[in-house]
Amino acid sequence: MSRTPQAFDSLTSLRLHVTLMASLAPVALLAMISGGWSVTFVILSTMLLAWVTDFLLRRASSLRERDDGSALLWGLCLSLLMPPGVPFWIPWAGVLFSLLAIKALMGGSGSPWLNPVLIAWAFCQTWWPSEMGLGKIIPGAGSAEIPSLLLEHRTGFDRAVTEWFNSNIFSWMNIQLPGGYVDLITGLGTGVHSWNAEAGAVFLLAATVFLLVRGTIPWQIPSYFFVGFALPMAVFGGIPSGAGLFTGDVLFQVFSGTFLLGIFFLATDTSSRPLSETALTLFGLGAGMLTFFLRTWGVHPEGVGYAILFMNLLVPWIDTVLKKKVLNDLR
Amino acid sequence: MTRNKTFPLGGIEVESFRHLTEDSPIHSLTLPSLAVVPLMQYAGARARWIVAVGDKVAEEQVLAKGLGPNDRDVHSPTPGVLQEFREVPLPGGEISSAAVIRLEGEFQRTGKTVSARDWTSWSPTELLDCILECGVYLESSTLDHSVILPSPGKPLKDLVVNGLQHEPYLTVALTLLEARFEELAEGVRILQKMYSPERTHLVTDVGDLTARLPRWKELMQDVEFPALEFKFPQTQAGLLLKTLEIGQESLVVDVVGVLAIRDAVVEGRPQIERTIVVSGGGARRPGVYRARIGTPLFQFLKNSGGIKPQSEKILVGGPFRGRTVENLASPVVKSTQSVLVLTKTEVNAGSESSCIRCGSCVMHCPVGLEPLNLFKLIRQQNLDQARQDGLEYCIECGICSFVCPSRLPLVETFQTAKEELARE
């Protein structure tokens, strides 16, 4: 006799992970186009290695888990966190570390309470700092260096679009869009981005609109992550460069680095995010504020990854504190 | 416009699929030539036969007497001859003894006009006796037993007439609300006479009912019409009271039940038929049908249009708490509110994969439990901790299993664990 329920929601774990991968596909494609063969190889081989390792681990495990597509997604995310031109064995090492040490030892897809992608990324960054882009380019918050780098590689498309917007739209509001930002947002400028994920931010945003409308990822995390980051950045972001209050460059900060990938795809990772709605809000706000601090005053250029990892550490506590009160008078 | 009311935590707003059947008239189906009348008309019903094989029975004659004060009598749906007693599977899967009645002889009621009885001079106790004698089954939100009518005399604060749909696809309450609202109003007056409640509420999830049916206002001037959202599992008794912000000194009776009470009191008619919705992507002619108790489901389905070849499963009840029909020889019983024929895309079955901790079950649990953690604890045999985390307060609505992307058998595991705890 079959018991309740008789029907199910159409979303499955496999479908969830495949949807997320499909949403990242345009970014991955742009990264491959602008980065050439080496980036293409890094992305594809990392995904393949993740899938094969996961397959073997599942075969070896007594649990006989079904493939839910999570390993492929982890491989894709990790390769997008790599700088263009990274040696292929670095993300490979990251994948192996993450799957063997985090997934297998902790017991399956949903068990790691630290984001498996970011653990792999932090592992790579700690072992191979120079290859991982540390020290090469440091987009220190508010520093004038990066926008100048954008200008150096500026494309004709950027010139045309920026000019059109400035003379037709922004002039009304009495503001000017600096050169190079269109390249930054569309990912067209070659040699501009320091991480694969930076390519094609516009496409990433478009995909997330779909994900949020469908409820595939919880809206609380990206929204409050943005608020927690953008508010202090707008107010205090200009201080390190001596520009004073209310001069922070939020637009540049949001579209540069792995910020968008971080708030929409990494912070929303199911295994390492908290459970209830209020907990998601707190988690997002906390990670956003941490990102601001790390980016503004930290040694690492990229605050997002570590901010999420630090918040992951607090998830068990957040879940305990924000546990819902059980309604015990319904029967 | 005022916001529709709803309960505090969780729940799920799913597509109602009402459009399939909401404009349907009530079709009467042909009588079964062989009616199979089970002793057990709903889970937990106890009765004993008072007729024997070979007896000639009249339409509406009592076939079985309820054992306890709250057990209902079973009546013959058709006139005929008792051919045999036979074990039959019920739509929900239980096995029950059943009387097989071969149709023959005269109808006492069908096709005849009945004069209404004047019940206004009856005492509340007389009214209750009449309702019990007519074997009126009152649907409860959990669908596992009949609502027990309290004996009159105790003060009742709130009388709630439940015009909500329990689950997606179901539209019987909605159809009857529009088709038989004058009789329904009379049923409400009977209940008011029995229990003299301080307030009477008629709850629906179709917005402002009085705007839809202006005559309700004239008919029922002392009734309030709260509008609820369509959000599962809003009909669960505890949640319904929470939504309406009323206390435990209340009685909830569904629309179908109120009409059965009215028919029993006004026409002296026992419950021998049932209004059933046939719906789902696999049903050829979705609609609302009236069938006699004892009509075998294969005959019922055939007469109501049949099923499409791409059907995946047939169930009684809704997609959340319904039961799969294993055997189409099962007859229509008093608790059969719907027969759904679902296709593969409506069922979305899948095999289990590991929990990804997405928290969907936590966000939708109307009780505020953490199903994923309870599940883990039960799989680790840690029932004590599961109990401390509130396992016993689970209302088994099934939302957690419905939303789980890894298709974990959450509510099923909780049911088994709760039974185990109850045995200790």
Side-chain angles (χ1 to χ4, degrees):
Chain A
M1 188 168 65
S2 126
R3 304 190 82 165
T4 54
Q6 301 293 347
F8 303 88
D9 189 53
S10 56
L11 188 70
T12 62
S13 299
L14 180 63
R15 201 171 285 184
L16 169 75
H17 294 133
V18 170
T19 311
L20 292 174
M21 272 188 277
S23 313
L24 286 173
V27 178
L29 278 175
L30 273 171
M32 289 183 202
I33 293 168
S34 73
W37 285 113
S38 76
V39 169
T40 309
F41 181 71
V42 161
I43 292 179
L44 295 180
S45 68
T46 307
M47 288 176 75
L48 184 69
L49 181 72
W51 186 77
V52 170
T53 314
D54 183 63
F55 175 79
L56 293 174
L57 281 173
R58 277 187 287 109
R59 286 300 291 270
S61 136
S62 56
L63 294 170
R64 294 274 155 195
E65 288 173 353
R66 283 162 49 84
D67 187 14
D68 59 10
S70 56
L72 272 177
L73 177 67
W74 295 359
L76 176 60
C77 286
L78 181 63
S79 61
L80 289 178
L81 285 173
M82 296 289 133
V86 77
F88 64 85
W89 43 267
I90 289 182
W92 286 19
V95 159
L96 292 176
F97 174 73
S98 164
L99 285 174
L100 294 174
I102 302 297
K103 183 174 169 174
L105 286 186
M106 296 202 185
S109 313
S111 306
W113 101 106
L114 293 173
N115 187 311
V117 177
L118 288 171
I119 277 291
W121 167 80
F123 176 84
C124 298
Q125 230 183 28
T126 315
W127 276 88
W128 300 282
S130 56
E131 287 88 343
M132 285 295 288
L134 280 183
K136 196 172 72 180
I137 308 162
I138 301 187
S143 82
E145 287 165 44
I146 290 310
S148 72
L149 196 85
L150 284 173
L151 281 175
E152 233 171 81
H153 296 272
R154 204 173 172 197
T155 60
F157 179 71
D158 180 272
R159 269 174 230 283
V161 174
T162 309
E163 201 158 296
W164 188 86
F165 269 99
N166 279 340
S167 53
N168 289 299
I169 293 171
F170 291 128
S171 55
W172 295 7
M173 295 179 261
N174 208 15
I175 48 172
Q176 286 284 302
L177 182 68
Y181 279 57
V182 174
D183 282 345
L184 182 69
I185 291 169
T186 55
L188 282 176
T190 43
V192 172
H193 53 269
S194 338
W195 283 273
N196 289 336
E198 257 178 313
V202 163
F203 299 98
L204 196 106
L205 270 182
T208 54
V209 171
F210 165 80
L211 293 178
L212 288 171
V213 168
R214 294 265 308 253
T216 318
I217 54 175
W219 61 271
Q220 290 95 339
I221 290 184
S223 318
Y224 287 100
F225 202 130
F226 179 79
V227 170
F229 174 73
L231 272 185
M233 186 52 91
V235 179
F236 305 109
I239 289 180
S241 60
L245 288 175
F246 300 103
T247 56
D249 190 347
V250 174
L251 189 67
F252 172 77
Q253 290 292 343
V254 164
F255 283 101
S256 67
T258 52
F259 188 81
L260 292 176
L261 184 77
I263 69 170
F264 288 110
F265 292 87
L266 300 175
T268 58
D269 165 63
T270 56
S271 68
S272 52
R273 77 186 185 208
L275 295 171
S276 70
E277 292 92 333
T278 34
L280 292 175
T281 306
L282 183 68
F283 177 79
L285 265 181
M289 285 164 70
L290 267 176
T291 307
F292 161 72
F293 285 114
L294 290 171
R295 271 203 178 180
T296 314
W297 288 290
V299 282
H300 288 299
E302 253 316 318
V304 183
Y306 286 112
I308 297 172
L309 277 177
F310 289 144
M311 286 310 286
N312 282 167
L313 290 171
L314 296 179
V315 163
W317 175 78
I318 294 177
D319 275 342
T320 318
V321 173
L322 294 179
K323 210 174 196 143
K324 289 181 196 167
K325 201 180 163 320
V326 175
L327 300 180
N328 53 13
D329 54 351
L330 292 178
R331 282 246 153 201
Chain B
M1 202 190 135
T2 49
R3 249 182 90 87
N4 292 340
K5 293 181 178 185
T6 194
F7 49 89
L9 286 180
I12 188 165
E13 288 169 64
V14 281
E15 202 192 326
S16 72
F17 292 101
R18 266 178 213 173
H19 61 273
L20 291 172
T21 53
E22 68 182 340
D23 299 322
S24 165
I26 304 174
H27 308 275
S28 284
L29 293 183
T30 39
L31 302 180
S33 48
L34 278 183
V36 183
V37 189
L39 203 55
M40 196 155 93
Q41 291 285 326
Y42 48 91
R46 297 167 307 153
R48 74 188 151 78
W49 297 115
I50 56 165
V51 284
V53 174
D55 283 3
K56 251 183 118 78
V57 294
E59 181 185 18
E60 297 178 0
Q61 182 183 326
V62 178
L63 298 177
K65 275 278 186 214
L67 289 181
N70 290 309
D71 291 317
R72 311 293 204 265
D73 293 353
V74 180
H75 302 75
S76 179
T78 56
V81 174
L82 206 166
Q83 189 171 301
E84 58 164 330
F85 289 114
R86 164 197 302 178
E87 301 268 284
V88 293
L90 298 181
E94 302 91 342
I95 305 289
S96 163
S97 162
V100 180
I101 293 164
R102 194 176 62 239
L103 179 67
E104 64 175 61
E106 287 265 319
F107 282 92
Q108 280 178 318
R109 184 187 300 271
T110 308
K112 301 194 169 101
T113 41
V114 277
S115 51
R117 304 194 285 190
D118 179 26
W119 51 269
T120 44
S121 56
W122 297 7
S123 74
T125 323
E126 282 170 334
L127 288 168
L128 180 63
D129 287 344
C130 170
I131 293 165
L132 291 179
E133 272 164 28
C134 287
V136 173
Y137 161 80
L138 301 173
E139 209 155 73
S140 71
S141 57
T142 48
L143 309 178
D144 53 6
H145 58 81
S146 172
V147 169
I148 293 169
L149 286 176
S151 38
K154 274 191 209 149
L156 192 63
K157 266 209 153 76
D158 296 272
L159 170 67
V160 180
V161 179
N162 182 2
L164 303 166
Q165 306 300 325
H166 290 294
E167 295 198 21
Y169 297 98
L170 311 188
T171 52
V172 166
L174 201 58
T175 307
L176 291 174
L177 209 58
E178 301 209 3
R180 299 188 63 194
F181 68 94
E182 281 177 3
E183 285 120 309
L184 188 60
E186 191 165 22
V188 173
R189 280 197 295 275
I190 294 169
L191 281 166
Q192 282 175 330
K193 160 123 197 187
M194 285 168 70
Y195 298 110
S196 22
E198 285 171 27
R199 295 193 301 172
T200 307
H201 316 254
L202 186 111
V203 279
T204 54
D205 50 18
V206 292
D208 187 1
L209 186 73
T210 48
R212 211 171 149 126
L213 292 168
R215 285 213 55 204
W216 263 105
K217 262 210 170 110
E218 301 161 32
L219 280 169
M220 299 269 84
Q221 285 166 358
D222 53 346
V223 174
E224 293 167 35
F225 299 97
L228 267 61
E229 266 173 50
F230 176 67
K231 191 166 165 194
F232 182 78
Q234 59 180 358
T235 53
Q236 199 274 345
L239 287 177
L240 185 57
L241 299 187
K242 267 208 160 38
T243 309
L244 298 173
E245 292 163 49
I246 58 180
Q248 296 286 336
E249 296 148 339
S250 50
L251 174 68
V252 183
V253 186
D254 69 302
V255 161
V256 181
V258 175
L259 282 168
I261 285 173
R262 181 259 165 206
D263 290 346
V265 171
V266 177
E267 298 177 7
R269 188 197 317 203
Q271 202 172 10
I272 56 164
E273 54 182 17
R274 169 86 232 212
T275 313
I276 299 168
V277 64
V278 176
S279 192
R284 274 192 206 282
R285 265 204 337 251
V288 180
Y289 297 86
R290 191 157 42 212
R292 288 283 152 115
I293 303 296
T295 311
L297 284 180
F298 64 85
Q299 196 182 339
F300 173 77
L301 273 170
K302 202 176 120 211
N303 292 343
S304 58
I307 65 174
K308 295 179 188 165
Q310 65 268 36
S311 307
E312 168 112 334
K313 67 164 128 180
I314 299 173
L315 44 119
V316 288
F320 284 96
R321 298 211 239 203
R323 299 284 195 87
T324 316
V325 177
E326 304 283 349
N327 191 332
L328 283 178
S330 303
V332 166
V333 289
K334 287 180 189 174
S335 56
T336 311
Q337 50 175 333
S338 63
V339 178
L340 302 185
V341 190
L342 301 185
T343 58
K344 213 176 174 122
T345 49
E346 288 172 300
V347 174
N348 285 312
S351 38
E352 187 181 332
S353 57
S354 48
C355 173
I356 58 168
R357 243 188 73 92
C358 62
S360 207
C361 51
V362 178
M363 285 181 224
H364 288 106
C365 179
V367 186
L369 300 170
E370 292 181 350
L372 79 169
N373 290 334
L374 290 176
F375 182 74
K376 214 185 231 173
L377 288 169
I378 296 168
R379 285 242 162 137
Q380 291 163 353
Q381 304 290 330
N382 194 347
L383 279 184
D384 282 336
Q385 186 60 45
R387 190 212 300 260
Q388 279 175 33
D389 288 354
L391 173 65
E392 282 163 303
Y393 302 121
C394 168
I395 56 170
E396 299 174 25
C397 63
I399 294 187
C400 49
S401 293
F402 176 87
V403 296
C404 181
S406 293
R407 296 290 182 268
L408 299 175
L410 297 166
V411 72
E412 298 86 331
T413 308
F414 302 156
Q415 283 166 338
T416 322
K418 280 168 75 179
E419 281 160 22
E420 210 166 300
L421 278 180
R423 270 198 303 273
E424 271 173 21

